[in-house]
Structures are given as C-alpha cells and as structure tokens.
Amino acid sequence: MSDPGGGRSTAEEVLAAFLDEHAEPSAAEVEALCAEHPEHASALRLLLAAHRDVQAGLPDTLTAEERAQQQKSREVDTGTGGSFEAGRTVGDFLLVRLLGRGGMGEVWEAEEQSLRRKVALKLLLPGRVSEKAIDFFAREARAGGKLTHPGIVAVH
C-alpha cells in the first residue's frame, strides 16, 4: 500500500485505534467516537463507510473458531512478536518501523527502494501463513485496490 501523503491522518489514527477496540461498532459507538472527536467527525464517518465497504466486499470464510483466535491474538499480542524487524529487506522494501499489528499480519512503514518512496507494507505473520490466509489476503488486496478516495491509501 502506498501512502503518498507520507503518514496517516489524525482521523485515520483515531479510527484505527477505535476499530481495534470495536471490531463491529454499533451506531451509538460511532456517534460517541464522533462526539469525542468533533473536529474529525466527518472524516471518521467517511473512513468508516469506506472500511465497511471493503469488509462487505470480502466474503467471511473464517470459522467461528478462527474468528475467536484472531480476536484473542489482537487482545494478547501487543508487541511485535513476528520475525520482522526494522532494517530488514523484504523483496524491494526496506522495513522502517512497525505501524500496526492484527491477528493475521503486520503493517510496516517501508521504503520501496527502486522507486524511493515511502509505503505501508502489509506482511502476513509466518505463523499465520496458510492457503486460506493467503486467499483472504489476496481478496482483501483486490477489494482495497478497487477503492479510490483521497481519504484511503492506494493499494498496489
């Protein structure tokens, strides 16, 4: 994922933290978030709508047990814990710093060396690699790649 703006906006940071706590937020939870951050309310609603559009485009292929494991991983796993580290090269990308981690992978700020640009690079955790995970990862990338909006980073 490329981020031509060089970093996430405050609204994106707020929404990412919110979604870590509320995987499927209710309307009341969204309104409470917007009331807490009135200066970002319209951006938060727009970003959340885009997030929901992406999620709706992805078929839910996880079993209840796999969803529970993902949630448990999000709750327990707050460190990096993966095999990735800053300074490591993955393909054409130099990992700079960890931006976030979910049940399936990590998102790193990286430099695409051949094009000399900063990107956000999502990597599957080695312990999460399976045919099903790779299929999900590919569907997520295809769905995200279809979105075009100034508030959403481009997926390449």
Side-chain angles (χ1 to χ4, degrees), residues 95-144:
L95 301 181
V96 176
R97 68 183 174 103
L98 180 66
L99 298 175
R101 183 166 195 209
M104 194 168 134
E106 295 176 341
V107 177
W108 282 82
E109 175 185 330
E111 181 180 332
E112 187 172 9
Q113 295 176 329
S114 62
L115 298 178
R116 294 192 175 152
R117 65 178 177 176
K118 284 188 177 183
V119 298
L121 183 65
K122 185 170 184 178
L123 301 169
L124 286 175
L125 292 171
R128 301 283 190 231
V129 176
S130 68
E131 191 172 325
K132 193 177 227 179
I134 291 170
D135 288 345
F136 179 83
F137 190 77
R139 279 193 307 276
E140 180 182 43
R142 283 192 301 272

Side-chain angles (χ1 to χ4, degrees), residues 31-147:
E31 289 311 310
L33 175 70
C34 290
E36 187 178 331
H37 301 277
E39 70 281 13
H40 301 296
S42 63
L44 289 168
R45 286 186 180 97
L46 185 65
L47 289 167
L48 185 57
H51 171 78
R52 286 180 174 154
D53 287 347
V54 168
Q55 295 303 312
L58 300 173
D60 187 5
T61 59
L62 299 178
T63 65
E65 182 179 324
E66 289 169 324
R67 279 192 296 279
Q69 180 60 39
Q70 266 191 350
Q71 184 59 35
K72 182 178 178 185
S73 176
R74 284 188 191 105
E75 292 168 359
V76 173
D77 212 349
T78 56
T80 59
S83 63
F84 308 113
E85 58 187 34
R88 179 176 174 188
T89 300
V90 178
D92 189 32
F93 302 94
L94 175 66
L95 301 181
V96 176
R97 68 183 174 103
L98 180 66
L99 298 175
R101 183 166 195 209
M104 194 168 134
E106 295 176 341
V107 177
W108 282 82
E109 175 185 330
E111 181 180 332
E112 187 172 9
Q113 295 176 329
S114 62
L115 298 178
R116 294 192 175 152
R117 65 178 177 176
K118 284 188 177 183
V119 298
L121 183 65
K122 185 170 184 178
L123 301 169
L124 286 175
L125 292 171
R128 301 283 190 231
V129 176
S130 68
E131 191 172 325
K132 193 177 227 179
I134 291 170
D135 288 345
F136 179 83
F137 190 77
R139 279 193 307 276
E140 180 182 43
R142 283 192 301 272
K146 292 178 183 178
L147 298 174

Side-chain angles (χ1 to χ4, degrees), residues 3 7-15 40 43 47 151:
D3 185 1
R8 284 170 35 168
S9 71
T10 302
E12 290 170 319
E13 294 288 342
V14 167
L15 184 61
H40 301 296
L47 289 167

